[in-house]
């Protein structure tokens, strides 16, 4: 499913982005549809399933657990055999680069009557897993993990229901506990101070589970018979943000994005961009499968700049690298605080985005929990050689920053965008009138 791409990409600045885009499926929602379809009683079809490497990792893990999954041109077909239909895998499950895969599947594996090992690539093996291991141990699973990192050896058990407040707001942790809650001996509660993305709750409800959400509290009743569904994954808003940002960097741009996921737990980025001057309009907003979708149109506009802190951080966690890279294109710059979490994503995103922007001549001050990127008065960015350190969102954010720079930028290891948005470069090129060229590695 990954497009063939080359390691190095040269980004020539200039031009504008104009046109209409149909986005590939949302990564977060695709993971959940695949996992829950695998636990349903019957066959589900998922249309517009994300083409990302991360979501393929979820499919591969489920296949190793004995789930029959066919990928056709039109949809992904998943044959579920109920909550107890998974089988032990002889080999370790490989989540690749995907934090969502390892953390959410850990919740499912905790409720099985067999032992599994789940691991991932070097980046994933460095990321903290205590946040998910801890509540699952409280529920009764036995988990072995050296220094609380992958590989995780999860011995499933008869689980106890718990009442859990994750110390860090995290949709992945919330989802892991809710998924384990499907196998528990009573009602499992998760409490959150910041409302993180709620696709797990929506999907569970759509499939017939009893799940109650009141302010700051989610309760899941155990052992539902999950009904298979015909799913259509909304377009990926987090991926679309890079195209929106391209329209904000390049004058005379105007882009329309079709059928984008507009779940309110994901759209704080649009609110923020509008608050700093972006011209963004929504149309044809409707509810489909419990998820809001609609068309997003964006026109180039001048940005004032602003600060992101407190609860906003968790609400736009994946968009912060792009916002930082927009800093040099704003009047007053972009400042980010309370975002220590960025240091434990696919890369240390505070360090990688700061280093990339600095090499392009931006004025950046790094803090332990954020950064300050100076606005236009610090001067125009210049082309540079960028190493995104294998992090898809850093590669895309700096590509967009490069569009308005002076001179060409070379993005090393550009194929890492395939982790979330394999079509990124081709989509961007289609929207541009000035072209970027591929360099053989
Ligand atoms: C995700 C949740 C976020 C986000 C990640 C996807 C999800 O992580 O950064 O890209 O699909 O639940 P956390 O929940 O750990 O903040």
């Amino acid at each position: 499913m990954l497009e063939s791409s080359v390691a190095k990409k040269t980004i020539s600045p200039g031009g504008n982005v104009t046109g209409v885009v149909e986005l590939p499926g949302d990564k977060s929602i695709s993971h959940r549809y695949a996992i829950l379809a695998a636990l349903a009683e019957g066959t589900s079809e998922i249309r517009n399933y994300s083409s990302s490497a991360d979501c393929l990792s979820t499919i591969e893990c489920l296949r190793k657990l004995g789930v029959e999954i066919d990928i056709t041109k039109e949809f992904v077909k998943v044959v579920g055999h109920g909550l107890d239909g998974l089988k032990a895998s002889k080999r370790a499950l490989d989540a690749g680069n995907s934090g969502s895969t390892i953390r959410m599947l850990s919740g499912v594996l905790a409720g099985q009557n067999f032992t599994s090992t789940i691991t991932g690539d070097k980046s994933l093996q460095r990321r903290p897993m205590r946040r998910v291991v801890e509540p699952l141990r409280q529920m009764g699973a036995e988990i072995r993990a050296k220094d609380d990192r992958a590989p995780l050896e999860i011995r499933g058990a008869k689980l106890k229901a718990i009442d859990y407040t994750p110390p860090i707001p995290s949709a992945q942790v919330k989802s892991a506990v809710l998924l384990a809650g499907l196998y528990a001996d009573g009602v499992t509660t998760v409490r959150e101070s910041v409302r993180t993305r709620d696709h797990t709750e929506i999907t569970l409800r759509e499939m017939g589970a009893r799940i109650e959400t009141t302010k700051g509290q989610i309760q899941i009743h155990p052992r539902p018979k999950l009904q298979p569904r015909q799913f259509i994954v909304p377009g990926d808003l987090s991926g679309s943000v890079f195209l929106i940002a391209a329209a904000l960097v390049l004058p005379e741009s105007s882009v329309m994005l079709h059928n984008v996921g507009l779940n309110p737990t994901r759209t704080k980025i649009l609110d923020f961009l509008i608050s700093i001057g972006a011209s963004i309009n929504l149309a044809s907003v409707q509810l489909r499968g419990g998820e809001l979708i609609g068309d997003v149109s964006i026109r180039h506009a001048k940005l004032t700049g602003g600060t992101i802190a407190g609860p906003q951080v968790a609400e736009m966690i994946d968009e912060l690298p792009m916002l930082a890279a927009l800093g040099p294109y704003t009047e007053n710059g972009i400042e980010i605080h309370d975002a220590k979490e960025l240091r434990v994503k696919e890369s240390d995103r505070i360090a990688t985005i700061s280093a990339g922007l600095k090499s392009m001549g931006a004025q950046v001050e790094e803090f332990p929990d954020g950064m300050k990127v100076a606005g236009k008065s610090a001067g125009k960015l210049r082309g540079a050689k960028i190493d995104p350190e294998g992090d898809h969102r850093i590669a895309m954010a700096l590509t967009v920053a490069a569009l308005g720079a002076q001179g060409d930028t070379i993005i090393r290891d550009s194929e890492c965008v395939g982790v979330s948005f394999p079509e990124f470069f081709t989509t961007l090129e289609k929207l541009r009138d000035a072209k970027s060229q591929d360099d053989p590695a």
Side-chain angles (χ1 to χ4, degrees):
M1 255 175 168
L2 281 186
E3 287 184 344
S4 66
S5 52
V6 288
K8 260 199 249 169
K9 200 91 182 162
T10 302
I11 311 298
S12 304
N16 58 44
V17 282
T18 23
V20 181
V21 178
E22 200 75 43
L23 284 156
D26 184 83
K27 185 158 83 79
S28 291
I29 298 177
S30 295
H31 285 300
R32 285 146 170 99
Y33 284 175
I35 293 172
L36 287 165
L39 304 179
E41 317 230 335
T43 302
S44 295
E45 286 172 3
I46 311 174
R47 281 168 208 274
N48 202 33
Y49 190 81
S50 165
S51 49
S52 66
D54 273 8
C55 291
L56 285 180
S57 294
T58 291
I59 286 184
E60 287 311 319
C61 289
L62 292 169
R63 282 180 169 156
K64 277 199 189 144
L65 291 164
V67 183
E68 187 191 322
I69 302 179
D70 281 341
I71 303 177
T72 71
K73 262 204 160 137
E74 291 80 40
F75 51 76
V76 172
K77 186 177 102 180
V78 183
V79 184
H81 291 289
L83 290 181
D84 300 315
L86 302 181
K87 295 190 184 74
S89 168
K90 287 198 186 80
R91 286 182 297 147
L93 308 176
D94 183 2
N97 194 245
S98 175
S100 300
T101 306
I102 194 168
R103 294 193 177 119
M104 292 200 282
L105 277 181
S106 293
V108 174
L109 297 173
Q112 306 303 313
N113 60 5
F114 53 77
T115 300
S116 311
T117 300
I118 185 162
T119 188
D121 68 8
K122 279 208 178 91
S123 150
L124 197 61
Q125 288 182 34
R126 281 195 297 265
R127 295 178 63 185
M129 293 297 146
R130 176 190 277 269
R131 56 187 64 190
V132 75
V133 164
E134 180 114 353
L136 296 177
R137 281 185 182 141
Q138 280 182 29
M139 293 179 87
E142 262 179 56
I143 304 181
R144 285 218 300 226
K146 198 164 165 263
D147 301 325
D148 291 313
R149 316 237 166 221
L152 308 178
E153 190 192 285
I154 304 175
R155 183 185 291 258
K158 288 206 180 323
L159 299 180
K160 295 189 285 284
I162 57 169
D163 184 330
Y164 192 67
T165 306
I168 311 151
S170 162
Q172 293 175 349
V173 174
K174 168 179 68 175
S175 299
V177 176
L178 293 175
L179 290 169
L182 296 173
Y183 296 89
D185 62 357
V187 176
T188 296
T189 304
V190 181
R191 296 172 199 273
E192 52 181 8
S193 53
V194 181
R195 201 162 155 232
T196 62
R197 64 193 75 192
D198 61 356
H199 310 298
T200 306
E201 297 91 302
I202 290 174
T203 314
L204 280 165
R205 191 172 296 117
E206 287 287 311
M207 296 176 79
R210 210 171 136 202
I211 181 157
E212 284 130 23
T213 47
T214 48
K215 253 195 156 203
Q217 176 181 304
I218 306 119
Q219 295 197 299
I220 178 86
H221 293 250
R223 304 221 63 93
K225 278 191 191 314
L226 296 175
Q227 298 307 308
R229 288 279 179 262
Q230 306 278 318
F231 295 109
I232 308 175
V233 183
D236 194 319
L237 176 66
S238 298
S240 82
V241 163
F242 298 101
L243 305 176
I244 291 173
L248 292 169
V249 166
L250 295 171
E252 291 168 41
S253 290
S254 168
V255 176
M256 153 89 108
L257 307 156
H258 264 309
N259 291 325
V260 186
L262 293 174
N263 179 314
T265 60
R266 300 284 294 281
T267 50
K268 295 293 184 297
I269 178 65
L270 301 183
D271 299 340
F272 180 77
L273 287 172
I274 291 167
S275 79
I276 64 169
S279 160
I280 298 177
N281 287 296
L282 307 183
S284 310
V285 178
Q286 54 184 298
L287 204 56
R288 191 177 67 193
E291 292 283 354
L292 275 183
I293 58 163
D295 299 336
V296 178
S297 52
I298 168 100
R299 278 180 183 284
H300 177 79
K302 285 201 169 136
L303 303 177
T304 54
T307 300
I308 299 103
Q312 283 176 306
V313 166
E315 290 166 341
M316 340 181 201
I317 189 76
D318 291 340
E319 286 70 56
L320 296 179
M322 188 62 257
L323 279 182
L326 273 179
Y329 295 96
T330 63
E331 289 306 316
N332 308 316
I334 292 284
E335 214 168 314
I336 298 171
H337 295 281
D338 307 319
K340 235 172 43 202
E341 260 310 280
L342 284 180
R343 294 209 182 267
V344 291
K345 289 291 180 187
E346 286 83 328
S347 69
D348 173 344
R349 285 184 171 163
I350 294 176
T352 44
I353 198 77
S354 298
L357 287 172
K358 276 184 197 164
S359 70
M360 297 176 84
Q363 207 174 298
V364 184
E365 198 182 332
E366 217 184 285
F367 316 125
D369 68 342
M371 72 201 86
K372 183 176 175 179
V373 184
K376 281 182 183 163
S377 58
K380 210 169 153 67
L381 294 185
R382 51 174 190 269
K385 285 195 178 124
I386 301 290
D387 181 0
E389 296 196 15
D391 187 326
H392 53 127
R393 295 202 200 275
I394 301 300
M396 292 189 279
L398 293 172
T399 294
V400 173
L403 297 176
Q406 225 146 27
D408 288 357
T409 292
I410 295 170
I411 310 279
R412 272 191 57 192
D413 186 23
S414 64
E415 77 275 14
C416 67
V417 303
V419 161
S420 65
F421 194 176
E423 307 83 350
F424 171 68
F425 287 112
T426 45
T427 309
L428 185 62
E429 277 159 29
K430 264 190 225 152
L431 290 172
R432 286 187 75 198
D433 50 0
K435 292 235 181 297
S436 71
Q437 354 137 190
D438 294 343
D439 284 347

